Amino acid sequence: MDKDEIHLRRLPAPHADREFCGVDFLPEDLNEALEETEMRVNKTYSCLPAEEKGIHIINIRAIEDIGYDQHESTTKIHGIGFVKIHAPWNVLCREAEFLKLKMPTKKMYQISQTHGLLKKINSVIQKITEPIQPKVAEHKPQTVKRLSYPFSREKQHLFDLSDRDSFFDSKTRSTVVYEILKRTTCTKAKYSMGKGEGRKKEATLLNKRRKCGKYGITSLLANGVYSAAYPLHDGDYEGENVEPNDRKLLCEEWASYGVFYKYQPIDLVRKYFGEKIGLYFAWLGVYTQMLIPASIVGIIVFLYGCATVDENIPSMEMCDQRNNITMCPLCDRTCSYWKMSSACATARASHLFDNPATVFFSVFMALWAATFMEHWKRKQMRLNYRWDLTGFEEEEEAVKDHPRAEYEAKVLEKSLRKEHKHKETDKEKLTWKDRFPAYLTNFVGIIFMVGLTFAIVFGVIIYRISTAAALAISSTPSGRSSVRVTVTATAVIINLVVIIILDEVYGCIARWLTQIEVPKTDKNFEERLIFKAFLLKFVNAYTPIFYVAFFKGRFVGRPGDYVYIFHSFRMEECAPGGCLMELCIQLSIIMLGKQLIQNNLFEIGIPKMKKFIRYMKLKHQHSLDHEEHMKKKQRYEVDYNLEPFAGLTPEYMEMIIQFGFVTLFVASFPLAPLFALLNNIIEIRLDAKKFVTELRRPVAVRAKDIGIWYNILRGIGKLAVIINAFVISFTSDFIPRLVYLYMYSENGTMHGFVNHTLSSFNVSDFQAGTAPNDPMDLGYEVVICRYKDYREPPWSENKYDISKDFWAVLAARLAFVIVFQNLVMFMSEFVDWIIPDIPKDISQQIHKEKVLMVEVFMREEQGKLQMLETWKDKDKKKGENCNNHSPRLSRSHSGSLSSCHSYPLDV
């Protein structure tokens, strides 16, 4: 059946008139025609022309009992060949035993059910959630479960083999075939034959090289002999008269935007795509569900800010025009003095995100992250139990990953160099000396990429400063009043565009850096790629936000002694209400822009564009007449036109970066969980549609967890506590307000706070050439202007020095960071400790399975013993009956006694 096969698409032969198309398959029955096979292979191999490179021959001895079909495209596309490979029953049994696949036995047992009040609550919840449950059989709650055990050919009687066609599903069959193809060795001739002495030496090298085994299908794909190897989809997912299949069911109940409100059919996803992809969508579903309470609390915090904005005394003082506070110029010469009341809108907007509720929300989100991780671990254990993955670690150690084709090629190249120097080549492997140039390139490349990101952020800072100075020259009052908003908005958009472009560039560079390292296994390759890509993309996404949160306005200087860049540009400073509002704008635009453009539009548009380009190339290269064009294509041809599966790293990466936006700076943007929730509702269905309709079916991979991504999530959760502590302490005005309220306030209120945070400056102390060109812009002469800082006044003996108020606020800020960090860390660890990783009912079921399995084997052994005892009793009775015969009969039939005693042997 097509759904049980792996399809290989073969490249066209270098010479169209030759029969040999790059891969020659040996006959299935090698025992009968072994010599003919060897002769045929050698003849084919030796007849290759010198200019024909990279020809491979698969050694099918390792898969001699696998079935295959070799044929051309049904639409007569010249040069495209397809090979369909399927595994018969005996091969499936053998490989299932080798891979230690857990298969259901005949033994069934009752799953423990809740009793009393919990049972009633569960039944009520099931009735309420019934409309949002997918209509698939795999998703229905089960009361009984089959006992699973690693498959063994010697114990086939334990398993339910009543229907052999469905015992191994299509996912398992495809995995088995692909594992065999990965194990199968091939040889590669990549040389040219000369004459005379050189020809003999290269012939010797050929013989040695043909003995060097490399893993088959990975080598063939890596060297371009085959362009693709993929399992076939179950069938069509749309159209009339389409037979029911799992793909169609997934498309209707999972990969449709109309069912966005329903739970995912995770068990069916696992059945069709395998455990690794099933775990990704299960994790994404848990993450999205956990965003619901975080979004609700974030909305409450935001509404609290909206409700109390008119009662916020500092913003009321800033908006009160009767205060008549004149502020110092924001830039040299071109900028003039300005009224603090002109920043009223910014101050009121800052209160929406800078209020006491944001501190509570930061603590809540830290505990939310810890709870999310614990909830996922428990969910993961439930899936492991349901999918029979308990004890999978031991199986992983037993079945090691195959070396990658690139690694084998490097080892082969190294061994050939040593052979040329007449050195021993036993058990060659790549050492750190072989990889040192790659390690050095990785280190220099990553440092350069990080430096490039910093340079771009610095360039945007220069743009902000120069644009602010240019707009300040504008003669229109509206232009001067909107300088800060215009500069902030345009700079954030530039940052967003740069981040999106560099994300794609860094992804390609990370893959190239990992490839030149030549990791040995696919698992090592994936982990190293994830580390590099995450490091580069993390720096790229968060560097502009870190600048606004922790560096902007910190190194400005003071009027008369400002800090300059290149002796020309004055460092920009925060608004009177602080940098938190600007941080919120930066965070929201980058987060929403990345989600809308990169995660959604790119995921929809780029695959469709690639599919269209492939279709146009195929149409251009192979002009088909109308009759052939209308001919129905085979499943393997339709699937070949789909986009190749590129792994789960991009899918995880975008969600991990989003998780960082939700947790790292949540103190400045309480609505981040809400926007993440809305994005993920679309993301789940978008990814599902892509997997079902746009991608070739990936080879199923077993996995019991999400791997290195879990450690990255935990690291981000820990880092979020520290960053939020510093954001609350140093970026917001929460600590200065507390210090003023309890140390300096005369009446125990916030009246006078704004005046307390402003220092005075005598305009006569401006450096030459830095005073405003139009000092009468406000209509009166300014003698004293104010600026946001804690410094001594001009009439003090130590004028413009840092005041003691600054040190009091700094001490309070540092104390808050220490207390907040340790308190929240302790609470997170407490949540981690109090919630068990394995649910109690699951641990009981796992223990019950072990006990039942022991009982099954004990009963089997007892049956064998009883059978042996029965045979012994029969043998004993037979012997006694023979001894009771008359002597005459015994003498006349001398063979009868021996015949009696031979009975057990006959049995």
Side-chain angles (χ1 to χ4, degrees), residues 318-333:
M318 290 182 64
C319 295
D320 190 357
Q321 298 184 0
R322 294 173 297 179
N323 287 333
N324 197 26
I325 299 177
T326 303
M327 303 297 293
C328 295
L330 297 175
C331 61
D332 294 339
R333 295 188 300 276

Side-chain angles (χ1 to χ4, degrees), residues 588-607:
S588 59
I589 292 180
I590 291 177
M591 178 182 177
L592 296 177
K594 272 181 65 67
Q595 291 182 164
L596 180 63
I597 298 173
Q598 193 174 28
N599 297 356
N600 292 330
L601 292 182
F602 280 14
E603 286 192 19
I604 296 173
I606 291 180

Side-chain angles (χ1 to χ4, degrees), residues 510-570:
R511 180 169 289 276
W512 176 75
L513 291 175
T514 309
Q515 287 173 346
I516 64 174
E517 278 188 53
V518 197
K520 184 174 182 179
T521 64
D522 288 330
K523 184 178 180 182
N524 292 340
F525 180 88
E526 186 180 21
E527 289 181 350
R528 296 186 184 192
L529 173 63
I530 289 170
F531 173 75
K532 294 182 184 64
F534 174 74
L535 177 64
L536 293 175
K537 292 189 177 186
F538 182 90
V539 172
N540 180 43
Y542 295 115
T543 300
I545 301 173
F546 271 93
Y547 164 72
V548 174
F550 302 120
F551 296 98
K552 183 180 179 182
R554 309 292 174 192
F555 312 100
V556 177
R558 60 169 181 82
D561 188 21
Y562 284 114
V563 177
Y564 292 90
I565 302 176
F566 305 132
H567 304 285
S568 304
F569 300 104
R570 207 176 89 186

Side-chain angles (χ1 to χ4, degrees), residues 2 45 85 297 320 325 419 476 488 495 672 709 738 762:
D2 283 357
Y45 199 83
I85 298 179
V297 176
D320 190 357
I325 299 177
E419 283 181 9
T476 60
T488 300
N495 276 327
W709 297 109
L738 285 182
N762 194 325

Side-chain angles (χ1 to χ4, degrees), residues 568-849:
S568 304
F569 300 104
R570 207 176 89 186
M571 289 294 292
E572 57 180 346
E573 53 188 292
C574 297
C579 279
L580 198 68
M581 184 60 197
E582 189 170 342
L583 176 62
C584 173
I585 296 173
Q586 184 103 2
L587 183 66
S588 59
I589 292 180
I590 291 177
M591 178 182 177
L592 296 177
K594 272 181 65 67
Q595 291 182 164
L596 180 63
I597 298 173
Q598 193 174 28
N599 297 356
N600 292 330
L601 292 182
F602 280 14
E603 286 192 19
I604 296 173
I606 291 180
K608 289 189 177 296
M609 184 175 66
K610 288 182 178 179
K611 186 177 178 181
F612 178 74
I613 291 174
R614 277 199 309 271
Y615 171 77
M616 294 303 296
K617 281 184 178 180
L618 196 64
K619 188 176 180 181
H620 177 73
Q621 292 175 359
H622 313 289
S623 55
L624 303 174
D625 58 35
H626 182 71
E627 182 180 348
E628 290 183 351
H629 182 71
M630 296 302 292
K631 187 183 294 183
K632 181 176 176 62
K633 291 185 177 181
Q634 296 294 328
R635 169 54 46 198
Y636 50 82
E637 294 178 289
V638 175
D639 287 2
Y640 177 70
N641 291 327
L642 299 177
E643 186 73 13
F645 175 63
L648 289 172
T649 300
E651 313 298 334
Y652 272 114
M653 188 66 71
E654 65 184 63
M655 289 295 104
I656 296 298
I657 296 296
Q658 184 204 84
F659 183 78
F661 282 122
V662 169
T663 56
L664 292 180
F665 297 94
V666 74
S668 62
F669 190 39
L671 295 179
L674 174 63
F675 290 111
L677 173 64
L678 297 176
N679 174 80
N680 287 4
I681 291 173
I682 301 173
E683 181 74 20
I684 290 175
R685 307 303 164 180
L686 180 64
D687 284 347
K689 195 172 186 64
K690 181 172 68 175
F691 272 82
V692 174
T693 65
E694 299 289 340
L695 298 180
R696 294 173 189 161
R697 187 176 182 179
V699 178
V701 179
R702 286 188 300 166
K704 68 176 300 182
D705 52 38
I706 60 175
I708 193 175
W709 297 109
Y710 181 81
N711 297 328
I712 293 176
L713 285 169
R714 283 189 66 88
I716 292 177
K718 302 293 184 185
L719 183 63
V721 177
I722 301 172
I723 290 179
N724 280 301
F726 276 94
V727 167
I728 295 171
S729 182
F730 287 90
T731 308
S732 74
D733 281 340
F734 178 73
I735 299 301
R737 288 173 184 172
L738 285 182
V739 172
Y740 176 79
L741 185 63
Y742 293 105
M743 292 182 61
Y744 299 103
S745 178
E746 297 178 356
N747 52 8
T749 64
M750 293 301 297
H751 288 287
F753 170 73
V754 174
N755 187 62
H756 177 75
T757 58
L758 298 177
S759 298
S760 300
F761 177 76
N762 194 325
V763 297
S764 61
D765 294 330
F766 271 122
Q767 291 181 353
T770 61
N773 295 332
D774 186 10
M776 299 294 293
D777 185 61
L778 294 179
Y780 57 88
E781 184 179 359
V782 178
V783 179
I784 299 292
C785 65
R786 310 295 295 274
Y787 60 98
K788 190 175 176 64
D789 205 348
Y790 291 99
R791 291 182 179 271
E792 296 290 342
W795 50 86
S796 173
E797 294 181 2
N798 303 315
K799 65 177 183 178
Y800 307 133
D801 286 349
I802 294 175
S803 65
K804 63 178 183 179
D805 298 340
F806 172 83
W807 299 111
V809 172
L810 179 62
R813 282 174 164 164
L814 294 176
F816 176 83
V817 168
I818 295 172
V819 172
F820 181 89
Q821 175 185 335
N822 286 279
L823 178 63
V824 175
M825 287 284 191
F826 170 77
M827 295 171 69
S828 300
E829 292 298 327
F830 180 74
V831 170
D832 193 356
W833 172 76
I834 201 172
I835 300 176
D837 294 345
I838 304 177
K840 187 178 179 180
D841 60 324
I842 297 298
S843 61
Q844 291 175 350
Q845 297 294 343
I846 294 174
H847 177 71
K848 185 178 181 180
E849 278 196 349

Side-chain angles (χ1 to χ4, degrees), residues 456 494-508 537 540 594 597-598 602:
I456 291 174
I494 293 173
N495 276 327
L496 174 62
V497 173
V498 170
I499 286 171
I500 291 175
I501 294 174
L502 288 184
D503 254 0
E504 303 300 322
V505 174
Y506 286 168
C508 298
K537 292 189 177 186
N540 180 43
K594 272 181 65 67
I597 298 173
Q598 193 174 28
F602 280 14

